[in-house]
Amino acid sequence: MPAEGERTPYPKSLEETAGAALDVDFSAPSATEVASMGAWGYPAAPPYDGLRMFKCLDRPGRLALSPSHGGR
C-alpha cells in the first residue's frame, strides 16, 4: 500500500473510489424491451424543498445509472 499522498501504480476500482458498487445484471432487458419506467422522490436541491413528491414516467433511451449515458 502506498504512503499517503503517493500515487498507486494502478487506477482505483469503483468500490475503492466510491465506497461501494452495484451488482451488474447481465440478464437485464435491453432498453427497447422496456415499455416504460419511472422515478419517484422528494428532491431537496434547489429549486425544490423536499416536501413534495415528484414522479417521472417515460420510455428509457438507454439503461444506465449515469445521466451522461441517457437521453434519446
Side-chain angles (χ1 to χ4, degrees):
M1 189 91 174
E4 190 171 325
E6 219 177 279
R7 293 184 67 108
T8 60
Y10 54 90
K12 288 184 176 182
S13 71
L14 175 61
E15 287 187 89
E16 291 170 320
T17 302
L22 296 173
D23 291 334
V24 176
D25 184 0
F26 291 102
S27 64
S30 71
T32 58
E33 297 174 7
V34 178
S36 73
M37 60 189 313
W40 293 261
Y42 295 84
Y48 306 100
D49 58 13
L51 299 176
R52 185 170 155 207
M53 185 176 81
F54 286 81
K55 69 178 179 179
C56 175
L57 295 171
D58 201 357
R59 292 191 60 203
R62 181 173 174 170
L63 299 177
L65 295 176
S66 170
S68 64
H69 291 106
R72 290 187 272 165

